[in-house]
């Protein structure tokens, strides 16, 4: 809980500064309320992978993205991954957009923190699953990062059968519904191929993004 609260504060713009007690209490109560509404679900499928130049062939899906291709160097397989907090999170935000806009904004930040924490936990579980095969997982790389176009969002949802299996769809503007959801490609590399494990933020050219992850030593 402490980590997710810290991340929610980062989404709210608290970087290198401590929130006042009222703000901290608001984030904590929002997180508690949100936890009572979310229904975490995830899906993944494993596909063969080939990378050539700026093209990625992932199972039946061909992706044009130089940054994704570099991220997946030395990987021969990859996972398509999707996760969601469910519609309850969206409904809670919509409720407070009519009653208390400040709380709605904080709930949005809490939701962003919770979905990332859930994805991290699931990826950790997958890492342990595949380590028996001598495989390492690369960091998640999602449509919309760098030059990995959002246009591929529908393809990922379709391949994983997300609408049918977990109620996850996207809008005409390619935004995910429920909104607190993630789709991603996760490379699988042999343990000997450890050279390209940079985070998704370090792969992205938006260096001044306020949501950029802090580098970890």
């Amino acid at each position: 809980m402490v980590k997710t609260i810290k991340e929610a504060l980062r989404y709210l713009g608290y970087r290198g500064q401590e929130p006042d007690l009222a703000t901290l209490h608001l984030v904590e109560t929002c997180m508690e309320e949100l936890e009572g509404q979310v229904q975490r679900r995830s899906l993944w499928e494993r596909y063969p992978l080939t990378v050539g130049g700026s093209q990625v062939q992932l199972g039946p899906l061909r992706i044009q993205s130089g940054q994704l291709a570099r991220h997946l160097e030395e990987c021969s397989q990859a996972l398509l991954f999707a996760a969601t907090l469910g519609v309850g999170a969206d409904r809670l935000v919509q409720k407070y957009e009519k009653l208390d806009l400040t709380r709605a904004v904080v709930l949005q930040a809490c939701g962003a923190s919770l979905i990332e924490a859930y994805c991290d936990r699931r990826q950790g579980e997958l890492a342990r699953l595949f380590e028996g095969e001598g495989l390492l997982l690369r960091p998640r790389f999602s449509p919309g990062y760098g030059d990995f176009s959002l246009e591929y969002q529908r393809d990922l949802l379709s391949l994983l059968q997300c609408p049918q299996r977990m109620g996850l769809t996207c809008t005409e503007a390619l935004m995910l519904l429920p909104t607190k959801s993630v789709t991603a490609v996760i490379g699988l590399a042999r343990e000997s191929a450890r050279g390209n494990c940079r985070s998704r933020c370090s792969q992205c050219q938006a260096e001044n993004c306020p949501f950029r992850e802090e580098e970890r030593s």
Side-chain angles (χ1 to χ4, degrees):
M1 178 70 81
V2 172
K3 183 178 179 180
T4 53
I5 289 174
K6 181 179 178 181
E7 284 297 291
L9 287 165
R10 186 175 67 85
Y11 283 117
L12 290 168
Y14 287 88
R15 298 174 66 90
Q17 57 180 311
E18 292 296 322
D20 57 70
L21 291 178
T23 299
L24 182 59
H25 178 70
L26 177 59
V27 173
E28 289 173 342
T29 58
C30 283
M31 193 71 77
E32 290 174 1
E33 186 173 11
L34 189 59
E35 281 280 9
Q37 299 298 319
V38 301
Q39 186 175 15
R40 297 171 177 85
R41 297 188 65 189
S42 66
L43 294 170
W44 61 272
E45 294 288 348
R46 183 177 184 175
Y47 289 96
L49 170 74
T50 55
V51 177
S54 61
Q55 286 196 341
V56 174
Q57 187 70 44
L58 182 57
L61 178 60
R62 177 168 292 184
I63 301 170
Q64 183 72 32
S65 169
Q67 287 175 288
L68 179 63
R70 289 192 294 274
H71 185 69
L72 296 175
E73 286 174 358
E74 300 182 297
C75 295
S76 61
Q77 303 172 68
L79 307 178
L80 286 186
F81 175 83
T84 184
L85 297 184
V87 297
D90 285 356
R91 288 172 179 163
L92 189 62
V93 171
Q94 291 164 3
K95 168 186 170 182
Y96 281 107
E97 283 176 341
K98 299 174 183 177
L99 301 175
D100 186 339
L101 191 55
T102 297
R103 193 171 185 86
V105 170
V106 174
L107 283 165
Q108 287 279 17
C110 290
S113 176
L114 283 181
I115 187 61
E116 286 300 315
Y118 177 55
C119 289
D120 288 345
R121 176 164 64 83
R122 290 293 293 125
Q123 188 160 346
E125 293 167 353
L126 289 169
R128 291 188 289 275
L129 177 67
F130 285 103
E131 69 180 357
E133 299 181 38
L135 295 171
L136 296 174
L137 271 65
R138 293 280 165 84
R140 297 184 298 279
F141 207 103
S142 296
Y145 287 128
D147 65 352
F148 186 11
S149 173
L150 275 176
E151 293 293 330
Y152 294 103
Q153 196 79 276
R154 288 197 182 94
D155 295 313
L156 269 64
L157 293 173
S158 177
L159 281 171
L160 286 172
Q161 298 182 307
C162 288
Q164 300 93 330
R165 297 171 69 187
M166 61 192 301
L168 177 57
T169 62
C170 67
T171 67
E172 288 297 317
L174 303 174
M175 304 306 293
L176 294 173
L177 289 176
T179 61
K180 295 300 176 281
S181 304
V182 167
T183 60
V185 176
I186 304 173
L188 292 170
R190 289 291 165 190
E191 288 188 359
S192 58
R194 292 176 176 267
N196 186 13
C197 289
R198 293 177 293 167
S199 74
R200 58 192 181 276
C201 284
S202 64
Q203 295 279 337
C204 181
Q205 295 177 346
E207 303 247 346
N208 295 320
C209 173
F211 304 115
R212 188 178 182 84
E213 290 183 334
E214 296 176 0
E215 292 296 326
R216 295 175 172 85
S217 58

